[in-house]
Amino acid sequence: MIGFPTSFLWGAATSAYQIEGSPLADGAGASIWHRFSREPGRVVGGATGDSACDHYRRYREDIALMAWLGINAYRFSVAWARVVPDGNGTLNPKGLGFYDRLVDALLAQGIEPMLTLYHWDLPAALEDRGGWLNPDSAKWFGDYAQVLFQALDDRVRLWLTLNEPWVSAVLGYLTGTHAPGRRGLREAALAAHHLLLAHAEAVTAYRAVGRHRIGIALNLEPQYAASAQAEDVEAAARRHIYVNRWFLDPILLGRYPAEIPQLFGADWPRRALQRAGLIRAPIDFLGVNYYSRALVVDDPSGRPARGRLVKRRDAQLTAMGWEIFPQGLTEMLLWIRREYGELPVYITENGAACNDPLPERGRVLDPGRARFLGRHLIAAQEALGRGVDLRGYFAWSLLDNFEWAYGYSKRFGLIHVDFATQRRTPKMSARFYRNLICRGGANL
Ligand SMILES: OC[C@H]1NNC[C@@H](O)[C@@H]1O
């Protein structure tokens, strides 16, 4: 088995709303998640990101933990409304100042920053103007991206435009389980289109001023038919278009899959697509967020892909109910290379929610998470050995944090957070990852 290159990035990932807390501090504007989490019934236990991991104030302590962990890269996101409180207009120097200090503190520890411009926390003021349904949203995002490029491109060398725009569009505009909580197939398709245009707007803007590399992080999930029945095989194929190709094709090929308008039917916003046209702005690398595979059966009532997810009776599941399926990562990485050609790839998220025990004598025994990381790194190594240009791996997540609609009920962290005291306790999986990084991934 081929080893990991010495240049490989061994990282951990987080996002602003999930860890920072202090959402309105120092002139920051509210985000759609600040609002959404306050709506009754939206988040388990009525939790909000008001405190989260208090990272906005404890970032130096957390960077010391990153140094202890031995990671050489850290993926974080910028809260748009901290930097531009009304989303499109006046800059908030104090908000930008936090990220300026964060980047400097990371670099001082030899940790490479990977900056995600948007990880779901749209400024609420822009939602009041239609949010991602407004055709102006792409320009709003491009303007915001420019601010960060100007301020941080002298030190940030890895940029991501969006995190998982499929989740933003589907959970935010179709299922309504994420902010802004809207429910409509047409709205989801329109939001997705504007997110894609926003991505292209930022990449195009970066080409004019940026000196380094920019990409996007997509949630990609291999779709397997639950049986050899033709209807299940066809349902898995439809979901593959819906979950994976809907975004990959426009970003990398400059066109939607031909099947997408058929899946959405009358809800596909044809006029919007003709008016705007798809901008294929070549990216420097692709971020792959991999968690599991989907097992699909035909479901004529399921909109838009007419497929329903099932679980094998003997499947090993994480605390999210997601099947542990490391080989799906290898297959997804190989498929991307076959389908879209040579493109540098980073695994920008991979990790597991586990029912961790409470800390005991300063230890948290989470062997399941350590095993999950090890098996997925072996799968990544397999892809490397078969020619995938894999440049790095970011464990999700550095810290237990706010898991969106699940609130604090699901823990993904390598480091346990006691949200009442904000005490951090590295878990067994953190020690496993630390030792692995020390060995450069050898002897997995
Ligand atoms: O569900 C785990 C993670 N998935 N990707 C996006 C992150 O914000 C989530 O916490």
Side-chain angles (χ1 to χ4, degrees), residues 198-319:
H199 159 75
E201 186 97 7
V203 172
T204 304
Y206 190 70
R207 294 302 174 222
V209 298
R211 287 163 287 176
H212 304 297
R213 291 183 291 152
I214 192 164
I216 186 170
L218 299 179
N219 55 293
L220 297 175
E221 182 186 57
Q223 305 293 311
Y224 290 73
S227 79
Q229 300 294 327
E231 58 271 21
D232 290 347
V233 171
E234 287 157 15
R238 289 193 298 269
R239 270 194 57 92
H240 174 56
I241 298 290
Y242 173 52
V243 173
N244 300 313
R245 298 202 72 130
W246 179 15
F247 282 81
L248 274 170
D249 282 19
I251 290 165
L252 297 178
L253 304 178
R255 62 175 185 273
Y256 281 112
E259 302 87 339
I260 273 288
Q262 297 156 20
L263 292 186
F264 281 85
D267 291 308
W268 185 250
R270 292 181 200 290
R271 192 175 55 79
L273 304 196
Q274 284 145 15
R275 189 179 69 246
L278 263 182
I279 305 164
R280 176 173 170 263
I283 55 177
D284 301 306
F285 64 89
L286 177 67
V288 175
N289 291 358
Y290 178 84
Y291 287 92
S292 183
R293 68 156 173 184
L295 210 52
V296 185
V297 294
D298 182 41
D299 175 6
S301 67
R303 298 282 282 139
R306 304 193 312 283
R308 180 167 48 84
L309 304 188
V310 294
K311 295 276 183 272
R312 283 171 43 148
R313 267 189 302 280
D314 61 349
Q316 280 186 305
L317 307 178
T318 69

Side-chain angles (χ1 to χ4, degrees), residues 84-149:
V84 189
D86 67 359
N88 187 250
T90 314
L91 172 67
N92 174 28
K94 284 186 177 177
L96 185 57
F98 168 68
Y99 297 103
D100 194 68
R101 292 192 302 277
L102 178 71
V103 166
D104 284 343
L106 288 167
L107 294 172
Q109 292 289 346
I111 298 171
E112 184 81 47
M114 178 184 272
L115 188 155
T116 308
L117 289 161
Y118 183 69
H119 198 123
W120 305 354
D121 47 356
L122 186 75
L126 295 182
E127 182 59 28
D128 294 341
R129 297 165 64 183
W132 291 112
L133 297 179
N134 187 323
D136 294 342
S137 49
K139 183 180 179 315
W140 299 338
F141 183 69
D143 293 346
Y144 156 63
Q146 279 280 21
V147 166
L148 290 179
F149 296 153

Side-chain angles (χ1 to χ4, degrees), residues 18 119-120 163-164 291 322 349 396 403-404 412:
Q18 293 181 271
H119 198 123
W120 305 354
N163 179 73
E164 301 181 355
Y291 287 92
W322 300 345
E349 285 182 28
W396 183 270
E403 179 54 28
W404 308 111
F412 277 87

